[in-house]
Amino acid sequence: DPAEALAPAVKVKGERRPPSHGPGSIGGGLRELFISVAVQCPAVVCCRCSPEQKALVCHLVKQYTGLQTLSVGDGGNDVAMIQMADVGVGLEGKEGKQASLASDFSIRRFRDLRHLLFWHGRNSYVRSANMAQFVISRGVTISILQAIFSALFFFSSVSLFSGLLLIGYSTVYTALPVLALVLDEDVTRQQALAFPQLYRNLAKGRQMTLKTFFTWCAISTWEGGCIILMTMSVMDSNFFNIVGVAFSVLIVVELLTLGFYVHSWRPMMVVAEVASLLLYFGSILCMRSYFDMTYILSASFYLNVLYIALVAALPVCVTKLVFQCVRPNQAQKLKSSD
């Protein structure tokens, strides 16, 4: 018997668990034999299974491989399997809506699973990764700016931005473009369905890794350092003027950086970028205690803001374009081939 040749206990992720021989279960040795053969096959068909056995097979795949699982079912006997999987998809069919109600996602036809995975699932992952990394970068930029400012003044506890400026930075002035990222698309629906390898590459988790995290941190460090150092070099000792120029450049640079990393410019993104700028410069009139209005209304203010913003954001844009030309990813290759 092959099961008797295996160890009486099964080792799973450093633990040793005794085999279970309860009703509807598979013995410990047989479990290991079954899953070791199953993972080497392109497809495995399990016939005449009870609902408990369907859920058990899904559990074995999760337990012994550590992979994410997806279960698809259309009847009440599939509910246990759907709930056992990491992602459950239910079909609305002749057997009722039990599977649909117990699932994470509900579809009408089985062929819609292709659109759910290759289009909606891929977009969800790409958008979430880009949004999360930009939000982190936004926080790192203002932190670097404050840290350098404190270091220049002998590590004093004076805050460069305070009150409504800090609140508005993350909740008002840069929020609309970030929310508009939920509509961003790096490829078209037809391309995503025609080239399944796009989905396979995302499954490797390369869209959000330590490498991309430190890349965004490097961008934030460059931008934050440029903003405060160049502002201190071109401005006089008037603290209100330093705050006005530094914060205005910070808002413009963040909007420009986000624009560089948008894959497809849609009307919603254009409206979000323009509205954020107008909202910021319009709100200055309501926050006279934070700015020197005489300097804000002068031409030198806008020239300094434009000059520093270009110096801080342009190298990021050029570097991104160079990497796209030298090492384009598959989505960029598809765009260039059109």
Side-chain angles (χ1 to χ4, degrees), residues 112-316:
D112 293 337
L113 183 63
R114 181 164 165 258
H115 294 264
L116 178 64
L117 293 177
F118 293 162
W119 176 244
H120 297 290
R122 185 180 183 280
N123 280 341
S124 177
Y125 175 69
V126 172
R127 292 165 179 172
S128 299
N130 290 338
M131 183 183 298
Q133 292 177 118
F134 177 77
V135 170
I136 294 173
S137 172
R138 186 178 61 182
V140 173
T141 301
I142 195 171
S143 300
I144 293 293
L145 200 150
Q146 176 64 52
I148 295 177
F149 174 79
S150 299
L152 292 176
F153 289 92
F154 306 101
F155 295 97
S156 64
S157 59
V158 177
S159 176
L160 180 59
F161 309 128
S162 59
L164 294 177
L165 296 183
L166 287 176
I167 297 174
Y169 172 68
S170 57
T171 60
V172 179
Y173 303 136
T174 58
L176 291 179
V178 172
L179 295 178
L181 280 175
V182 299
L183 300 177
D184 192 27
E185 299 174 0
D186 59 341
V187 294
T188 63
R189 181 189 288 262
Q190 292 74 18
Q191 290 173 333
L193 297 178
F195 298 94
Q197 57 267 33
L198 292 171
Y199 179 86
R200 187 182 303 123
N201 288 338
L202 286 188
K204 299 176 181 178
R206 295 177 179 175
Q207 195 74 17
M208 190 173 183
T209 61
L210 282 177
K211 179 181 178 181
T212 60
F213 171 76
F214 285 117
T215 299
W216 277 98
C217 287
I219 293 173
S220 300
T221 303
W222 164 261
E223 292 177 345
C226 278
I227 292 172
I228 187 60
L229 293 177
M230 294 195 65
T231 300
M232 298 294 293
S233 64
V234 301
M235 299 303 300
D236 53 21
S237 57
N238 189 317
F239 181 75
F240 287 97
N241 292 347
I242 294 174
V243 171
V245 172
F247 192 76
S248 300
V249 173
L250 178 63
I251 297 298
V252 173
V253 168
E254 289 300 316
L255 295 178
L256 288 175
T257 303
L258 182 61
F260 295 153
Y261 283 86
V262 171
H263 299 99
S264 58
W265 276 87
R266 296 179 173 273
M268 182 67 72
M269 178 58 72
V270 177
V271 170
E273 291 270 338
V274 175
S276 297
L277 282 176
L278 295 178
L279 183 63
Y280 167 65
F281 286 104
S283 65
I284 291 179
L285 300 176
C286 302
M287 297 186 294
R288 296 176 181 268
S289 60
Y290 293 92
F291 302 99
D292 181 359
M293 297 307 299
T294 303
Y295 179 68
I296 293 295
L297 297 176
S298 65
S300 60
F301 167 76
Y302 297 96
L303 290 176
N304 285 331
V305 169
L306 180 62
Y307 167 64
I308 299 174
L310 289 177
V311 173
L314 198 58
V316 177

Side-chain angles (χ1 to χ4, degrees), residues 58-102:
C58 180
H59 173 69
L60 287 176
V61 175
K62 292 172 57 177
Q63 183 182 31
Y64 285 86
T65 66
L67 299 176
Q68 302 294 312
T69 57
L70 181 146
S71 294
V72 184
D74 62 348
N77 59 341
D78 299 318
V79 170
M81 175 186 65
I82 289 174
Q83 294 179 339
M84 177 61 67
D86 297 292
V87 180
V89 179
L91 283 161
E92 296 183 14
K94 297 180 180 180
E95 299 186 28
K97 295 186 177 181
Q98 292 182 357
S100 177
L101 295 174

